[in-house]
Amino acid sequence: MLKTRIIPCLDVKDGRVVKGVNFKGLVDAGDPVEAAIAYDAAGADELCFLDIAATLENRGTMFDVVRRTAEACFMPLTVGGGVRSALDVRALLLAGADKVSFNSAAVANPDCINEAANKFGAQCIVVAVDAKTVAPGEWQIFTHGGTRPTGIDAVEFARDMVSRGAGEILLTSMDKDGTKSGYNLPLTRAISNAVDVPVIASGGVGTLDHLVEGVTEGGANAVLAASIFHFGTYTIGEAKAHMAAAGIPMRLT
Amino acid sequence: MTCVIVDYGSGNLHSAQKSFERMSREINGPRIVVSGDADVVAGAERIVLPGVGAFADCQAGLMAVDGMVDALRERVQAGTPFMGICVGMQLLATRGLEFGETSGLDWIAGDVTALRPSDETLKVPHMGWNELRLNRSHVLFEGVEQGAHAYFVHSFHMAPADEADVIATVDYGEPVTACVGRDNIVGTQFHPEKSQKTGLTVIGNFLRWAP
């Protein structure tokens, strides 16, 4: 049986983890490779790196981080941030990423998803959907860190991205992100029902029950969280045990 | 001794290379060489064919390398241990049915078809960790327990004509081929280079394998 994935996400800027990662056994809390090794050992199912200041001159730093991570961790790695074209995808895949996540480029130029999926296969193309509630049961795509509305319906957008070749949707609720009040479950459920590719729930996790709800109520295939793991509030093992106890199939070894 | 990872413009070569290097160091195994040169493959003592993306694209990429398919065939017929990974495994089949019909290497008779789980709640691609069901013992899975987890990411799967060629399956609404093998040829649908300890064990076993 396929297991539900837990994915810790690291925000990376200029080759360092932003806000740091603060848990036992870590030599350098700001080094993304060190953090990746720690999560690998802890049994994370996948890792996600988000290059939050992806400028042209900083790209090399991120490639180096990805390359060094792939040398030390033999687990799946998704990289996002500043990805605009099939060329970017190729460079990240060659460096050692397994999946590459598009965000604002998918809104500005949706054809880049067709091109990347045709070249590299849908299985490695993730589209990060950042959505905000505009009315009850209605969500729109926002860009620029949730500050700029686009008028695009989030559910329609997700459907369109999958029809263009996205193999996975990384769904972040901009209302919930950083609140620790749980995922936006109606949004997660709406997107999950609308597409036939896996959906990763993101934004708002504060407790282990939130992870459970993301799957049981939101219908997510994977749950992504950052701070609850980085700051050692919960370990990956505790999260998996909690989800398994709630009846969700987890990889516990 | 060299183990050649075939570079034909497809695949996450860096990850594959690093995982094979790591295991080769541990067991004092062969030198790992990544090459797109048919002459290098012709002298290989072990061959790995990775592959990511679409069957037809990968097949076209492989055919486009001058002399590569002949070199591979010659080595495999001479008994060289060969391992295909993901689409590199699917290419072993007779034909692929992704975006029309494409001929494969036909080393293991069978078709590659779209995953269509009867349970509509199951998403495609089949993405994540699934439990291996070992149909029979094989050197590749020495030290790997029944039910061990491996990482999968694929929308198509291989259905060998002869059940005996299926070494392992996973359950995704129906049994899905996870590993095939015949004589000196093996292929994994999962990514051993991404399957943490289980994957590294499989890689180490391949590097030691003397079929």
Side-chain angles (χ1 to χ4, degrees), chain A residues 139 171 173 183-194 199-202 213-215 217-220:
Chain A
W139 308 276
L171 174 66
S173 157
Y183 296 118
N184 184 330
L185 298 173
L187 167 67
T188 309
R189 175 53 76 181
I191 301 277
S192 182
N193 285 349
V199 173
I200 307 171
S202 160
E213 290 162 5
V215 178
E217 291 178 43

Side-chain angles (χ1 to χ4, degrees), chain A residues 18-44:
Chain A
V18 176
K19 290 184 196 163
V21 173
N22 186 14
F23 55 68
K24 264 203 282 189
L26 212 56
V27 178
D28 175 354
D31 180 12
V33 183
E34 286 270 355
I37 292 168
Y39 279 126
D40 187 14

Side-chain angles (χ1 to χ4, degrees), chain A residues 1 3 40 44-46 67 71 74-76 94-96 98-99 118 123 167-168 192 195-197 251, chain B residues 12 14-15 18-19 22 52-53 57 123-127 129-131 149 151 153 172 193-196:
Chain A
M1 182 188 274
K3 304 304 169 75
D40 187 14
D45 296 310
E46 278 184 28
R67 206 171 291 121
E71 279 167 24
F74 302 100
M75 66 186 300
L94 282 179
D98 300 287
K99 293 185 267 184
N118 282 339
Q123 82 293 330
E168 191 169 38
S192 182
V195 300
D196 55 7
V197 302
R251 181 180 69 117
Chain B
N12 50 347
H14 185 75
S15 308
K18 291 300 157 188
S19 59
R22 150 90 173 263
V52 166
D57 271 6
K123 305 282 183 119
V124 176
H126 170 223
M127 189 183 286
W129 297 84
N130 206 330
E131 292 160 296
H149 290 92
Y151 187 81
V153 49
Y172 197 57
E193 78 282 12
K194 290 290 158 186
S195 296
Q196 293 177 331

Side-chain angles (χ1 to χ4, degrees), chain B residues 2 10 28 30 35 47 71 121 137-138 160 169 181 183 204-205:
Chain B
T2 57
S10 170
N28 249 326
S35 175
I47 299 169
T121 62
S137 65
H138 191 284
T169 60
D183 306 326
N205 288 341

Side-chain angles (χ1 to χ4, degrees), chain A:
Chain A
M1 182 188 274
L2 186 69
K3 304 304 169 75
T4 298
R5 290 166 283 154
I6 291 190
I7 308 174
C9 178
L10 295 152
D11 285 354
V12 179
K13 187 184 179 192
D14 302 330
R16 304 287 289 176
V17 181
V18 176
K19 290 184 196 163
V21 173
N22 186 14
F23 55 68
K24 264 203 282 189
L26 212 56
V27 178
D28 175 354
D31 180 12
V33 183
E34 286 270 355
I37 292 168
Y39 279 126
D40 187 14
D45 296 310
E46 278 184 28
L47 272 178
C48 181
F49 282 162
L50 194 57
D51 190 357
I52 62 162
T55 55
L56 218 49
E57 57 269 28
N58 280 333
R59 293 308 274 171
T61 321
M62 196 59 189
F63 291 142
D64 181 54
V65 166
V66 173
R67 206 171 291 121
R68 288 191 294 125
T69 302
E71 279 167 24
C73 297
F74 302 100
M75 66 186 300
L77 174 65
T78 301
V79 181
V83 178
R84 312 224 164 274
S85 66
L87 271 180
D88 293 337
V89 175
R90 179 171 167 74
L92 285 166
L93 292 179
L94 282 179
D98 300 287
K99 293 185 267 184
V100 174
S101 170
F102 282 85
N103 185 270
S104 48
V107 179
N109 172 28
D111 289 344
C112 69
I113 302 304
N114 302 67
E115 195 195 347
N118 282 339
K119 276 216 170 88
F120 307 105
Q123 82 293 330
C124 69
I125 305 301
V126 182
V127 172
V129 174
D130 292 348
K132 220 178 206 176
T133 309
V134 289
E138 202 179 310
W139 308 276
Q140 275 184 15
I141 301 297
F142 278 67
T143 58
H144 299 80
T147 58
R148 198 173 296 179
T150 61
I152 301 169
D153 179 76
V155 176
E156 278 313 307
F157 179 74
R159 269 204 198 103
D160 180 45
M161 288 298 119
V162 171
S163 73
R164 289 171 182 276
E168 191 169 38
I169 298 290
L170 166 52
L171 174 66
T172 302
S173 157
M174 304 308 292
D175 311 299
K176 291 287 202 163
D177 205 22
T179 64
K180 295 190 182 294
S181 62
Y183 296 118
N184 184 330
L185 298 173
L187 167 67
T188 309
R189 175 53 76 181
I191 301 277
S192 182
N193 285 349
V195 300
D196 55 7
V197 302
V199 173
I200 307 171
S202 160
V205 174
T207 71
L208 298 182
D209 282 332
H210 293 155
L211 299 176
V212 171
E213 290 162 5
V215 178
T216 56
E217 291 178 43
N221 305 94
V223 287
L224 181 142
S227 54
I228 63 160
F229 297 132
H230 297 345
F231 301 119
T233 320
Y234 301 103
T235 64
I236 299 284
E238 285 165 350
K240 286 190 164 183
H242 190 84
M243 292 173 77
I248 299 170
M250 303 301 297
R251 181 180 69 117
L252 297 172
T253 47

